[in-house]
Amino acid sequence: MQWSSSAFVLAVVFCSTHAFADPVQKSEDIVKFFAGAADLGKSRGICVGSEEECKSKSKAGDAPGEKTGLDMMINFGLDSAELNPTARAELDEFAKALKDNRLSKFNFVVEGYTDATGTVQYNEGLSQRRAQSVAAFLTANGIETARLNAIGMGEKNPRSPNPYDPVNRRVEMRIKTQ
C-alpha cells in the first residue's frame, strides 16, 4: 500500500489526560478538513498537543499561528482499547462527518499504535485492538465496514522521541489512496 504525498491524517491520541485537547470537534469542521483532499497538493496532518504547541509547529510558509491540521484527542485507559465517554463523543462527530456526502467517496485506514511499554508482540496486538475498537464504533454508528481498514502498527512511527511517551498511544485515520 502506498500513500500519496497528499494523504490526510487524523490522529486520535490515547493518553491519560484530556486536559490539553480541544473541545469535541464538530462534524462540519472534520468534513471541511477532509473534503478538499483531492484538490490539495501538500499533506495535512493532525497536530497532537495543546493549541500553543500546535501553533508553534506550523510548517514553513504557513501564516504565523495558523493551524495546519485538525486536533482530536481520544483517551483510553492504560493498556486498554476501550473507548471512554469523551472518546465516544469525539468519534460520534467523526462518524457524522463520514456520513456527509462530501466525504462519502473516501475510504479510511485506521492505524493503531502503542508506546514501547510491553513486548513487541503484545503491543502489536494492543494496537490492533485499538484500531478495531475505533473502527467498530464507527461501524456501529452507520459507517460501512468496507470504508474502514483497521490495522495495528505496534510501536512503529512514534510521535515523540521518548518511546514511552503516552502521546505515542494513538490511532491515526488516513484517507486510503488507490
Side-chain angles (χ1 to χ4, degrees):
M1 180 182 321
Q2 292 187 353
W3 301 105
S4 74
S5 64
S6 63
F8 284 69
V9 180
L10 171 67
V12 181
V13 181
F14 301 90
C15 60
S16 58
T17 179
H18 200 313
F20 296 111
D22 285 349
V24 174
Q25 293 293 330
K26 298 298 178 201
S27 60
E28 182 61 23
D29 296 331
I30 297 166
V31 169
K32 287 177 183 175
F33 180 76
F34 284 109
D39 302 329
L40 298 175
K42 69 178 185 177
S43 71
R44 272 184 159 177
I46 302 305
C47 179
V48 178
S50 69
E51 185 172 357
E52 308 306 317
E53 293 167 327
C54 293
K55 285 180 181 177
S56 69
K57 293 178 188 175
S58 61
K59 297 176 185 164
D62 289 338
E66 177 186 346
K67 281 186 159 183
T68 59
L70 178 72
D71 303 333
M72 287 181 76
M73 274 201 171
I74 297 186
N75 298 334
F76 275 130
L78 181 63
D79 191 29
S80 173
E82 269 187 61
L83 298 170
N84 68 22
T86 302
R88 290 175 183 278
E90 292 275 10
L91 288 172
D92 186 52
E93 289 296 317
F94 190 67
K96 288 177 190 173
L98 293 184
K99 292 176 192 175
D100 187 284
N101 287 337
R102 293 170 286 178
L103 297 186
S104 63
K105 64 183 174 183
F106 294 117
N107 295 325
F108 288 81
V109 176
V110 181
E111 296 177 339
Y113 293 90
T114 66
D115 63 13
T117 305
T119 66
V120 170
Q121 183 177 4
Y122 181 80
N123 286 340
E124 287 175 2
L126 178 58
S127 67
Q128 181 67 37
R129 290 189 301 277
R130 287 177 174 166
Q132 287 173 329
S133 178
V134 169
F137 181 88
L138 294 172
T139 300
N141 281 279
I143 306 306
E144 301 84 15
T145 304
R147 292 183 63 197
L148 304 170
N149 180 21
I151 56 174
M153 303 296 289
E155 303 169 25
K156 296 175 188 168
N157 305 318
R159 288 234 172 229
S160 167
N162 174 356
Y164 299 98
D165 191 327
V167 78
N168 294 325
R169 299 190 298 259
R170 68 195 190 279
V171 167
E172 293 184 3
M173 289 175 274
R174 303 177 189 274
I175 291 177
K176 186 176 181 179
T177 56
Q178 307 330 353

